[in-house]
């Protein structure tokens, strides 16, 4: 199984998304939605099966490496906050529809539910969703499940303390201002946290 480091995953996602974020994701971050790390996370909006699926998918997107996995930092609860509280009823309905489609496609392709797959099969299925997405024209108003979850996973991860301080460049009290310097000199190639 090929592991992609977090920085490379972020770069690839930014490329795929064209630098855009779904409005509910941005609104969620700005309204203070934050991941709540709990090993015993109990969903309030998603069903238990949907919560398990989302938890598994976020860990395929950002698995444990030198930093914790997305689920360890509470990213699934962040996604639930975005979908249940921030997304418009229309966006919520679209997201839930794409979740059902994702699981149905997994059953059609593999004969199993996503959570029943072996770890490598999960990665392969998610990768196949990305390949299919890249080969077709993406309707940004009707993003596929994997793209929506990936976007919210990265946003949720980056607003955690670990994401802001270990994944992104972070200086609590910045030093001197330096204008017009090469990006390599401005944070060791990392994007700045907020």
């Amino acid at each position: 199984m090929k592991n992609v480091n977090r920085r490379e995953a972020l770069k690839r996602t930014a490329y795929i998304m064209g630098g855009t974020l779904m409005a509910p994701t941005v609104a969620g971050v700005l309204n203070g939605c934050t991941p709540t790390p709990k090993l015993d996370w109990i969903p309030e909006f998603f069903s238990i099966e949907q919560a398990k699926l989302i938890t598994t998918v976020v860990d395929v997107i950002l698995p444990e490496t030198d930093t914790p996995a997305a689920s360890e930092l509470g990213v699934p609860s962040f996604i639930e906050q975005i979908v249940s509280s921030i997304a418009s009823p229309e966006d919520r309905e679209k997201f839930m529809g794409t979740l059902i489609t994702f699981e149905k496609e997994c059953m059609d392709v593999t004969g199993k539910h996503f959570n029943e797959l072996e770890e490598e099969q999960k990665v392969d299925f998610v990768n196949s969703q990305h390949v299919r997405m890249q080969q077709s024209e993406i309707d940004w108003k009707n993003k596929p499940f994997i793209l929506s979850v990936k976007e919210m996973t990265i946003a949720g991860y980056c607003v955690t303390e670990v994401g802001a301080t270990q994944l992104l460049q972070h200086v609590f009290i910045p030093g001197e201002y330096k204008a017009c310097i090469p990006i390599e000199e401005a944070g060791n190639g990392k994007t700045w946290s907020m």
Side-chain angles (χ1 to χ4, degrees):
M1 172 172 30
K2 181 182 175 190
N3 272 337
V4 176
N5 71 36
R6 293 186 197 289
R7 188 172 299 140
E8 186 60 28
L10 285 171
K11 285 178 186 174
R12 289 180 186 183
T13 299
Y15 175 74
I16 290 169
M17 294 180 347
T20 63
L21 285 177
M22 189 169 69
T25 303
V26 173
V29 171
L30 295 176
N31 283 313
C33 289
T34 56
T36 307
K38 287 189 215 174
L39 295 176
D40 61 346
W41 175 59
I42 299 172
E44 296 176 12
F45 174 76
F46 296 131
S47 71
I48 296 294
E49 289 307 311
Q50 291 167 340
K52 287 179 182 177
L53 172 68
I54 289 169
T55 299
T56 303
V57 171
V58 302
D59 283 347
V60 169
I61 293 167
L62 286 175
E64 180 179 7
T65 56
D66 56 333
T67 55
S71 66
E72 293 177 61
L73 297 180
V75 170
S77 68
F78 172 83
I79 292 172
E80 184 178 57
Q81 288 177 57
I82 298 290
V83 174
S84 67
S85 303
I86 304 297
S88 69
E90 181 184 352
D91 288 339
R92 186 178 307 119
E93 187 178 325
K94 285 179 186 176
F95 178 83
M96 298 307 291
T98 63
L99 183 151
I100 292 165
T101 300
F102 178 86
E103 185 71 331
K104 182 184 179 313
E105 288 175 359
C106 186
M107 282 293 292
D108 291 347
V109 170
T110 68
K112 294 181 180 179
H113 291 285
F114 187 76
N115 281 335
E116 296 172 346
L117 299 175
E118 299 293 325
E119 290 305 311
E120 191 167 332
Q121 292 174 310
K122 290 173 186 172
V123 172
D124 290 343
F125 183 72
V126 167
N127 286 339
S128 74
Q129 293 283 299
H130 281 281
V131 168
R132 195 182 86 215
M133 193 173 55
Q134 289 172 337
Q135 291 173 344
S136 64
E137 288 190 29
I138 298 172
D139 176 1
W140 292 103
K141 292 184 179 180
N142 297 301
K143 286 184 182 180
F145 174 77
I146 197 63
L147 187 58
S148 296
V149 170
K150 190 172 190 179
E151 175 181 296
M152 290 186 279
T153 298
I154 292 170
Y157 201 95
C158 289
V159 298
T160 66
E161 182 178 354
V162 169
T165 61
Q166 295 180 33
L167 180 65
L168 301 171
Q169 177 71 14
H170 177 81
V171 177
F172 187 68
I173 302 174
E176 65 184 279
Y177 174 74
K178 296 180 183 178
C180 298
I181 60 172
I183 191 74
E184 295 81 26
E185 294 177 24
N188 301 322
K190 291 183 180 179
T191 302
W192 284 92
S193 67
M194 296 174 27

